[in-house]
Amino acid sequence: MTTAADGPSWSDIATWYDGLLRAGSGPHETATACLLGLISQPTGAEVLDLACGQGLATRALAGAGARRVVGVDASAAMIELARTHDSPPGLSYVQDDAQRLARFDDAGFDGVTCQLGLMDIPDLDATLASVHRVLRPGGWFAIVIGHPCFLAPGALTAMVAGRPAVTVTGYFDERFWRSTNPNGVRRAGNHHRTVSTYLNALVRSGFRLEAVDEPIAGPLLARQQPLYREVPIFFGARVRRPEG
Ligand SMILES: C[S@@+](CC[C@H](N)C(=O)[O-])C[C@H]1O[C@@H](n2cnc3c(N)ncnc32)[C@H](O)[C@@H]1O
């Protein structure tokens, strides 16, 4: 069984990850477009960006008009790298564990985002409870995750009738896994969970589902990985903490 101990951590690959994004990453371009598309009104909002990494989505949220954006990540190395980027006013970074958000008060944010982070965090229920707690009643939570159907551990790519395709085995086998690709993001490991597990956990945590998205590849990703013109690379959703 693969465990978090037998491979690189996010801090170990933080410098590499920052270089990947600085060079222009098709998956990340598509993820951020999906995230911003799910948030109808970031203008003037106070937003917590969970598992912010080097701050790609954090900066995009500030650029889209959020009044205050706080990026939070468990990795000190990621937070350090995030602070090296030019940042618009109103943006700051805090090192903390998304499963507790111990450094944040209750009901302090209008919105919370998590771009490509939920599948990297071991305790999904604890994380969703923390998000619910730090959101104001009526606040929204927008997520983008690797699409569990197509980025599953047993996914294999192939050409079928001249088009890129993916076959999947073991979809129901929820577990921690690592990609064996030495240049892949998922060599840092992630938790495979089914789509139903994510949606049921959100509902169980008290959120109301408002919108979902399965984005087609943006221009850069379509060039880098044409497979994602055929199947979605990501699954996105916006949920809301009900008023009262
Ligand atoms: C794939 S990166 C995504 C970073 C960023 N959101 C982006 O889109 O580039 C996943 C991030 O999750 C962070 N992470 C993993 N477990 C965490 C936890 N328990 N609390 C906060 N951040 C965590 C990692 O340190 C890493 O920066």
Side-chain angles (χ1 to χ4, degrees):
M1 191 182 74
T2 309
T3 71
D6 38 59
S9 68
W10 283 104
S11 288
D12 293 334
I13 70 162
T15 302
W16 171 87
Y17 188 77
D18 185 46
L20 178 81
L21 270 56
R22 282 182 189 268
S25 158
H28 291 84
E29 177 191 81
T30 297
T32 303
C34 176
L35 186 78
L36 294 180
L38 285 163
I39 305 166
S40 41
Q41 274 304 332
T43 310
E46 296 188 279
V47 183
L48 182 69
D49 184 32
L50 215 61
C52 65
Q54 52 84 281
L56 180 71
T58 328
R59 292 185 295 279
L61 288 158
R67 178 162 60 87
R68 180 171 76 99
V69 192
V70 182
V72 59
D73 200 282
S75 160
M78 285 288 192
I79 293 289
E80 211 172 291
L81 284 161
R83 291 188 175 127
T84 66
H85 288 256
D86 288 340
S87 292
L91 195 152
S92 61
Y93 293 100
V94 172
Q95 187 189 357
D96 201 1
D97 185 339
Q99 296 164 119
R100 291 200 52 225
L101 293 177
R103 297 185 62 186
F104 296 89
D105 293 336
D106 295 357
F109 293 94
D110 303 309
V112 177
T113 52
C114 190
Q115 173 175 297
L116 307 182
L118 276 190
M119 65 274 194
D120 299 305
I121 303 174
D123 192 333
L124 180 61
D125 285 332
T127 305
L128 298 181
S130 299
V131 171
H132 195 275
R133 180 180 66 74
V134 302
L135 271 177
R136 297 182 178 125
W140 47 265
F141 178 37
I143 64 163
V144 178
I145 56 174
H147 201 305
C149 299
F150 304 109
L151 296 179
L156 291 173
T157 51
M159 293 301 284
V160 174
R163 296 171 74 163
V166 58
T167 60
V168 174
T169 54
Y171 175 70
F172 298 107
D173 183 11
E174 298 195 326
R175 62 187 172 93
F176 181 80
W177 68 289
R178 287 177 192 279
S179 160
T180 51
N181 177 357
N183 296 312
V185 171
R186 282 167 291 140
R187 72 184 190 274
N190 59 143
H191 298 266
H192 171 67
R193 304 177 181 108
T194 64
V195 173
S196 340
T197 291
Y198 278 107
L199 293 180
N200 283 325
L202 286 162
V203 171
R204 198 169 53 237
S205 303
F207 291 105
R208 202 178 57 223
L209 183 64
E210 288 190 338
V212 293
D213 192 16
E214 294 176 289
I216 191 164
L220 186 57
L221 179 58
R223 275 202 307 281
Q224 291 176 341
Q225 298 181 61
L227 170 65
Y228 296 113
R229 285 191 297 214
E230 307 285 341
V231 299
I233 185 171
F234 299 129
F235 178 85
R238 185 186 71 242
V239 298
R240 195 171 293 272
R241 174 180 171 169
E243 297 273 0

